Amino acid sequence: MRILGSTLESAGEEASRRPLGAVGILLSLVIASLPFLVSLWLITVHLGADARAYAPQWSDEIYNWHQVATFRVAGFDGGYYTVNEEPSPLAFSRFYTHGPAYPAFFGTLGRIVGWQINSAPIVGATLTGLALLFFIWVSRPDRTQLLLLGLAVLTFWPMHLYMATDMRLSFFDAMAIVFAALFYRTIKDPDTTSRRFLIGFALLVGLATLSKLTWSFLFIPLLLHMRHRTSLSILQSLGLAAVLILCAFGIHSQLAAPYPNFASELLGTFRISLVRGFSLLFDHAWLSLGNFVDPSHHTLWLMIRIQIVISLVWAGTLLAKSPLDGSGGREGSLILAGSGLLLVMTVLLYDVFGWRDFRLFAPVLLLSMLVFIAQRRYLILGLLLAINVLAAPSFLGAYSGLFSSIRYEPQTTEVRAFADEIAPVVKFEANTDGWQNTILAPLGIATNRKMLGVPAGIGISWFEFPPRLAAIKSRYLLLDARSRSALGRRPGLRYIKATALGDLYVNHAGEEKRDTSP
């Protein structure tokens, strides 16, 4: 942390010699406030809702919020967040498929400022605002650049769609803004950056990959920008970056609980047959490419896909016209590595539908736009901003519908009622086995909003098909009718009571073994 702090300080040393002036400082403060102010306006004026009534709505939000709450009270000693009770290979990491970085970071902040049901949007807007101030401090924009920065933030719809949620996008947007500032330094004049800056920047990218794996692609432009400082050739820089990317993927796979997605299905298929594996990969890529250009998709999905392609074309043009060691070449390598590799990975291994690719592309697009502002690329920036403005009606419609829905309907009473129902039985116990602090439930129950009432420190694990469960390890179970008929008579399970979400059981199987284990 000391090195990282020194890196951020070093990033602003040269910029601090060029004061912004009173007007610039005022504009900077307004721009940094935009994430919070726009979100507040959308909730209170556009929706006519009470911002204080916010509560997580989607399954990922419920898991994100609860994992933070658990880390806040228990650190790494809470219960397990898993699918089918399959934890991460590293025993100390008991968190879900995205790993422990996000819960640890927000949980640590929660110990300082508290963590309530409506905390995540406030923390997200604050982090984004601070990141914008950091970008301004490092890049020292003139008045024209500040106005363009304000317009970019004001019309960056992914930021505002997800700001008032418990999704992780606000955190990634803040990261993207910080990376844009640091890469501005390496694009502008990498030879004046200190070794301390280089080491700290690399460590920061490494830490970022623990929460979002695709940040590891930024190792490529970082090493290319700094290759003269490290005495590496282009091929050596690319080779070292590839090693670091593979290490990042390997480390993340050891920290995160397994999840049944296409990547895991593909890996399993390749183990059986190379031909079937390549056939599955080709079919998935073909489907993804078709979805990528499907004109019937939501306007906002098409908007961000078009903007990503425009940015990549621009980056390719820069590389064609500028040497790799020039400012244009460094800018192009950053965008091609950050956005281009992400696009390829998404088509091959992820999903291009719903809001999934939209969330993935948003942070790297934001990073590119801020680099364009810092580099005074007004033509490409103007085109991207024009697309934003044209998509404004679609943004407002999406915000009023899917993204607000029941998010601001007061439901804390139901959450508290459920918490009171299970409180006499389900209790967090420090200094015990993690499964003793875990509640197991079918997917439909585990992702219900009432699960916010499960005590902090108790992990939430889910299953979809009861026969896939071997010996049940979790101390507590919440079962619906279907899972009760399949699991309710397993040895060691004792029925306790009916609750608003399902029947509550306590698992006594293996209790004696757990009590006598060291």
Side-chain angles (χ1 to χ4, degrees):
M1 292 304 296
R2 191 173 180 180
I3 294 177
L4 295 180
S6 297
T7 302
L8 300 185
E9 179 182 352
S10 175
E13 284 176 356
E14 179 186 343
S16 63
R17 303 190 191 106
R18 303 192 303 274
L20 288 170
V23 175
I25 292 174
L26 179 60
L27 281 174
S28 300
L29 293 174
V30 171
I31 291 168
S33 302
L34 283 177
F36 175 78
L37 294 176
V38 172
S39 188
L40 187 63
W41 180 87
L42 286 167
I43 297 167
T44 59
V45 179
H46 181 61
L47 297 180
D50 180 1
R52 296 169 299 179
Y54 165 85
Q57 176 182 345
W58 299 324
S59 58
D60 281 359
E61 291 184 278
I62 292 163
Y63 261 65
N64 289 340
W65 184 91
H66 202 275
Q67 287 180 99
V68 172
T70 285
F71 191 92
R72 177 175 175 263
V73 302
F76 287 100
D77 294 324
Y80 286 92
Y81 294 83
T82 68
V83 181
N84 296 327
E85 295 193 321
E86 295 181 16
S88 69
L90 291 178
F92 80 90
S93 179
R94 300 173 181 177
F95 293 96
Y96 197 45
T97 185
H98 296 128
Y102 181 88
F105 182 78
F106 275 73
T108 301
L109 290 179
R111 292 179 179 180
I112 301 170
V113 301
W115 189 252
Q116 308 300 323
I117 283 183
N118 59 1
S119 291
I122 300 171
V123 175
T126 302
L127 290 177
T128 306
L130 291 174
L132 286 167
L133 287 176
F134 177 73
F135 175 81
I136 294 169
W137 178 55
V138 172
S139 64
R140 293 291 164 166
D142 57 30
R143 198 168 299 179
T144 299
Q145 289 172 298
L146 276 174
L147 291 173
L148 288 172
L149 176 61
L151 185 58
V153 173
L154 185 65
T155 62
F156 193 70
W157 307 134
M159 176 187 295
H160 303 306
L161 278 178
Y162 285 90
M163 185 59 67
T165 73
D166 266 272
M167 304 296 282
R168 301 183 301 154
L169 190 61
S170 296
F171 184 42
F172 298 149
D173 284 345
M175 284 187 187
I177 296 167
V178 170
F179 282 139
L182 297 178
F183 271 113
Y184 168 68
R185 285 294 313 278
T186 65
I187 289 171
K188 182 182 177 184
D189 190 5
D191 293 333
T192 64
T193 55
S194 65
R195 181 171 295 182
R196 180 181 63 185
F197 175 90
L198 172 61
I199 295 173
F201 196 174
L203 285 175
L204 189 63
V205 174
L207 288 174
T209 64
L210 297 179
S211 63
K212 182 177 171 64
L213 256 179
T214 51
W215 286 133
S216 63
F217 298 153
L218 297 182
F219 280 124
I220 295 175
L222 176 60
L223 288 171
L224 287 176
H225 294 183
M226 296 294 193
R227 68 187 186 85
H228 292 304
R229 304 297 305 280
T230 56
S231 300
L232 296 175
S233 67
I234 293 177
L235 288 179
Q236 288 172 331
S237 298
L238 292 175
L240 179 56
V243 170
L244 292 173
I245 291 170
L246 290 175
C247 288
F249 274 71
I251 292 171
H252 191 275
S253 70
Q254 298 300 301
L255 289 171
Y259 187 82
N261 54 19
F262 175 74
S264 60
E265 179 188 357
L266 181 66
L267 182 60
T269 304
F270 268 119
R271 287 171 178 165
I272 297 171
S273 167
L274 287 177
V275 174
R276 289 173 59 185
F278 280 113
S279 176
L280 179 62
L281 181 62
F282 176 82
D283 290 343
H284 181 82
W286 186 253
L287 175 64
S288 297
L289 286 172
N291 285 338
F292 191 86
V293 298
D294 190 339
S296 67
H297 280 188
H298 197 287
T299 301
L300 292 180
W301 308 349
L302 296 175
M303 173 202 75
I304 203 165
R305 293 169 191 169
I306 291 171
Q307 290 174 315
I308 285 288
V309 170
I310 290 173
S311 299
L312 291 174
V313 171
W314 174 264
T317 303
L318 287 175
L319 282 174
K321 293 183 177 180
S322 306
L324 187 57
D325 291 334
S327 176
R330 290 191 290 268
E331 180 182 340
S333 68
L334 169 61
I335 297 168
L336 279 180
S339 298
L341 288 180
L342 178 63
L343 176 58
V344 172
M345 191 210 73
T346 303
V347 168
L348 292 179
L349 298 176
Y350 198 58
D351 304 310
V352 181
F353 68 83
W355 298 91
R356 294 168 73 81
D357 61 305
F358 182 85
R359 293 195 298 267
L360 270 186
F361 295 152
V364 292
L365 177 61
L366 179 60
L367 189 159
S368 298
M369 291 179 70
L370 295 188
V371 169
F372 295 152
I373 292 171
Q375 289 284 92
R376 294 180 171 85
R377 307 293 190 183
Y378 296 146
L379 178 61
I380 181 70
L381 181 65
L383 181 56
L384 297 178
L385 292 178
I387 294 173
N388 282 353
V389 173
L390 290 174
S394 181
F395 159 72
L396 292 173
Y399 196 94
S400 300
L402 175 66
F403 280 81
S404 62
S405 189
I406 60 172
R407 201 178 300 277
Y408 297 98
E409 296 177 9
Q411 295 196 19
T412 54
T413 301
E414 294 183 4
V415 172
R416 288 178 185 144
F418 178 69
D420 291 340
E421 273 190 299
I422 65 173
V425 180
V426 182
K427 299 177 181 180
F428 170 67
E429 298 178 13
N431 303 317
T432 189
D433 177 74
W435 295 111
Q436 288 287 82
N437 286 319
T438 303
I439 188 166
L440 178 67
L443 179 61
I445 291 178
T447 57
N448 188 290
R449 186 185 260 184
K450 293 184 182 70
M451 291 294 282
L452 296 172
V454 171
I458 299 293
I460 302 173
S461 292
W462 64 266
F463 63 90
E464 196 167 5
F465 304 106
R468 294 185 181 177
L469 290 171
I472 296 175
K473 296 178 280 188
S474 299
R475 168 72 169 171
Y476 308 103
L477 292 89
L478 271 174
L479 303 179
D480 55 17
R482 178 189 170 205
S483 58
R484 183 175 62 244
S485 64
L487 301 176
R489 295 185 178 180
R490 287 221 183 170
L493 295 190
R494 181 164 65 91
Y495 171 81
I496 301 298
K497 63 187 294 190
T499 73
L501 282 181
D503 290 343
L504 177 62
Y505 287 77
V506 172
N507 179 19
H508 294 285
E511 198 168 67
E512 181 179 343
K513 180 179 178 181
R514 284 193 294 262
D515 288 343
T516 58
S517 61

